[in-house]
Amino acid sequence: MLLDTALGQELDARRLVDLLRRTGPATLITHSAGAAGGWLAASRVPDLVTSVVAVEPIGPPFRDLGARGALAEGATAIPLAAGGLTGLPVLVVTGAASGRAAADRETAAYLQDQAAEVQHLLLESAGIPGNGHGLIFEANARD
C-alpha cells in the first residue's frame, strides 16, 4: 500500500479499468482499502461493472487517514467520474468480530446517497459468526 492514498487509488482504478476492458463485464469483489479502486473503476466504466461486492470497505466516508491522506471525496480520496455510482448494485459485507459494523453502515448509507443500489450484509445475521476483518482468509470463508 502506498503512503499516498490518492495515488494508490488512482493506480488501482486504472489497473481495474484496463483489466475490465480486456475481460468484459464483471462483478468486482473488493476488500478493505481495495474498495476505493473498485468504486473509481465502476464510475469510469459503468458498462463493464455489473455489481460490486465490497468486503469491509475502507471507511467510513470522509475518514482522515493520517499521513496517508483522507477519503476527501467520501468513499475515495479522489473524485468519482461523472455519473458516479448511479444504479450500481452494491453488497457491503461485514464480519461479526471485526469491529467494522458502524463504519460499514456509514459507507453503505453514503453509497446509497450516491444513488447506488446498496444492501448491507452482516454475516452474523446470516448465521456466520465470528469473522474478523480478514474474513476472506478465515477457515470458514466457504460458508
Side-chain angles (χ1 to χ4, degrees):
M1 178 181 300
L2 298 177
L3 187 58
D4 183 337
T5 297
L7 176 60
Q9 290 180 2
E10 176 61 32
L11 294 173
D12 286 349
R14 287 182 194 174
R15 291 178 187 120
L16 279 170
V17 168
D18 288 347
L19 179 62
L20 289 162
R21 287 185 174 142
R22 290 175 187 241
T23 62
T27 294
L28 298 181
I29 301 172
T30 65
H31 177 250
S32 195
W39 308 135
L40 291 162
S43 76
R44 293 176 186 183
V45 288
D47 55 319
L48 296 178
V49 178
T50 58
S51 59
V52 175
V53 176
V55 181
E56 300 207 338
I58 191 170
F62 302 103
R63 179 179 172 192
D64 180 350
L65 302 171
R68 293 181 26 230
L71 299 178
E73 299 293 328
T76 58
I78 57 178
L80 298 172
L85 304 175
T86 301
L88 178 68
V90 172
L91 176 64
V92 175
V93 179
T94 304
S98 74
R100 299 254 337 131
D104 288 355
R105 257 192 308 279
E106 289 181 48
T107 299
Y110 174 81
L111 295 170
Q112 194 164 19
D113 289 346
Q114 303 306 304
E117 298 174 10
V118 182
Q119 293 183 3
H120 184 195
L121 173 63
L122 298 166
L123 290 180
E124 189 170 35
S125 68
I128 305 173
N131 293 92
H133 184 63
L135 59 102
I136 59 176
F137 307 108
E138 293 185 19
N140 66 342
R142 290 184 182 177
D143 295 343

